[in-house]
Amino acid sequence: MSNAYLGLAARRLAQAIIVILLAYVLTFVVVSILPGDPITNVLRDPQNGFTEDEIRQIIAAQGLDQPVLVQLWTSLTHFLTGDLGLSMRSNRPVTTLIGEVLPSTLILASSGFAVALLLATTVAYGTQFVPKRSGQGLLRGFPSLFLSVPNFVIGLVLIHLFGFQLGLFKVIAPNSFWATFFAAIALGIPVSAQIAEVLIANLDHERAQDYAAVARSRGLGPFRLFAKHLLKPSSLPVVTIIALTLGELLGGSLITETVFGRTGIGSLVQRSVSTQDLPVLQAVISLAAVVFVLVNLIADLVYPLLDPRVKLVGAASRRPTTADDGAVGASQAVTP
């Protein structure tokens, strides 16, 4: 690796760490100023059965009797060492609570992402090689349609049609294969819209280039032309869009879990908000911020490796979203 690339990686890593720390501090401040008293709402709730001695012990263990700045410093240092604290609701480690529901959310998010990529690629291929009289214009309108319909509406339609009407899955078994499959479709359709839009725009650009015309003149078929010549240069800006749509994928996972009745991060967040379980709520929000920042960091660092035309010259710039820009990431690029 060149010194320029290593310098880029070091700068981007430092920026990512700063963003994560600022996100944690902001989350702590926002959660701390929420209306209501979590001690009264949770610990002194008669249904929980805590005695006054137990309440004092929990308050001391959580550090809630300390000044806000001391609480922030203690919470931040524990977060940096992987200690997410104890739940005020169950008095169990937050890492344990998250670990119990995280696999379900990861399965749904990864399945939804696979559906989004497959759907976006299929629609983009159709816009290039389906004849206009056979519905090419309709295919070009699909991304706008996908983006305009919320994923919870798609989920309700799928549940009604395939769950109640056709009986392909049982609503009471939300973790079954078919239930997960249709939940992934509900999640993946809106996410695919932005990926498809960028891919279609770049395919239009690449197909108008001379090398594509030469390939067609040699008798290269549509699929081989798409797979061998058009897809790779057109998909480079998609790396940027995938990183930017991660937040939509995470947020959509929480909503989709609620619609399909899955037990995951979404249900954990819902319970934490309703009971003001601040350690759990803060941990989930902070971890989501960490994932989002890391994915964008990876996208910034991978793009120069994917495009050999890019030269890193040290100055930071934005990532482009079209093939015309020529480079993506925190680096400034020039094409020889």
Side-chain angles (χ1 to χ4, degrees):
M1 293 185 181
S2 66
N3 292 334
Y5 182 83
L6 293 178
L8 167 68
R11 289 193 301 274
R12 293 296 292 129
L13 180 60
Q15 293 171 6
I17 293 174
I18 294 174
V19 170
I20 291 173
L21 293 178
L22 291 177
Y24 187 86
V25 172
L26 180 61
T27 302
F28 181 90
V29 172
V30 172
V31 170
S32 298
I33 63 176
L34 286 176
D37 182 3
I39 298 177
T40 302
N41 293 342
V42 179
L43 300 182
R44 299 192 187 280
D45 188 342
Q47 295 181 357
N48 293 326
F50 290 116
T51 65
E52 287 297 326
D53 289 338
E54 290 173 336
I55 291 176
R56 283 193 294 269
Q57 292 176 6
I58 294 175
I59 292 175
Q62 297 283 356
L64 299 176
D65 55 346
Q66 301 292 327
V68 175
L69 291 179
V70 175
Q71 293 184 41
L72 173 59
W73 176 253
T74 303
S75 178
L76 183 59
T77 53
H78 288 174
F79 174 73
L80 294 176
T81 59
D83 181 7
L84 301 180
L86 297 175
S87 167
M88 294 180 61
R89 182 73 178 178
S90 62
N91 203 31
R92 298 175 60 195
V94 176
T95 52
T96 301
L97 296 176
I98 294 177
E100 291 174 349
V101 298
L102 184 60
S104 176
T105 300
L106 290 179
I107 291 174
L108 176 59
S110 59
S111 301
F113 178 67
V115 169
L117 280 183
L118 179 61
L119 186 58
T121 305
T122 302
V123 171
Y125 176 84
T127 60
Q128 301 301 311
F129 300 107
V130 171
K132 292 184 178 180
R133 63 179 181 274
S134 299
Q136 183 185 118
L138 180 63
L139 287 175
R140 289 184 178 272
F142 274 11
S144 298
L145 175 63
F146 293 163
L147 194 60
S148 64
V149 182
N151 63 337
F152 71 87
V153 174
I154 299 174
L156 292 175
V157 172
L158 293 176
I159 290 174
H160 176 75
L161 180 60
F162 294 99
F164 293 117
Q165 298 295 325
L166 300 179
L168 289 182
F169 67 94
K170 296 181 179 179
V171 179
I172 60 175
N175 294 319
S176 63
F177 171 79
W178 285 111
T180 302
F181 174 75
F182 288 111
I185 292 177
L187 175 61
I189 286 178
V191 176
S192 69
Q194 299 181 51
I195 300 176
E197 285 281 6
V198 174
L199 188 55
I200 290 171
N202 285 275
L203 283 172
D204 290 341
H205 174 270
E206 294 298 329
R207 198 179 182 199
Q209 301 303 307
D210 292 339
Y211 75 87
V214 172
R216 288 194 299 269
S217 67
R218 293 178 177 177
L220 205 63
F223 182 78
R224 292 187 62 190
L225 174 64
F226 176 80
K228 293 186 62 176
H229 297 281
L230 300 181
L231 183 59
K232 183 177 179 180
S234 300
S235 62
L236 290 176
V238 175
V239 174
T240 301
I241 297 301
I242 290 175
L244 295 178
T245 56
L246 177 66
E248 182 180 350
L249 187 67
L250 293 176
S253 296
L254 306 187
I255 298 174
T256 305
E257 285 174 352
T258 302
V259 172
F260 281 81
R262 297 173 62 89
T263 300
I265 296 294
S267 59
L268 181 63
V269 170
Q270 186 179 18
R271 291 196 305 269
S272 301
V273 171
S274 61
T275 61
Q276 287 194 311
D277 197 343
L278 303 187
V280 177
L281 185 59
Q282 184 173 340
V284 172
I285 296 175
S286 300
L287 290 178
V290 169
V291 172
F292 186 81
V293 170
L294 289 181
V295 169
N296 279 272
L297 172 63
I298 293 173
D300 280 344
L301 297 182
V302 165
Y303 197 90
L305 300 179
L306 294 178
D307 192 350
R309 298 172 300 174
V310 173
K311 291 181 179 180
L312 305 175
V313 296
S317 68
R318 64 177 176 87
R319 292 197 307 264
T321 55
T322 64
D324 293 333
D325 295 319
V328 166
S331 60
Q332 181 181 0
V334 294
T335 305

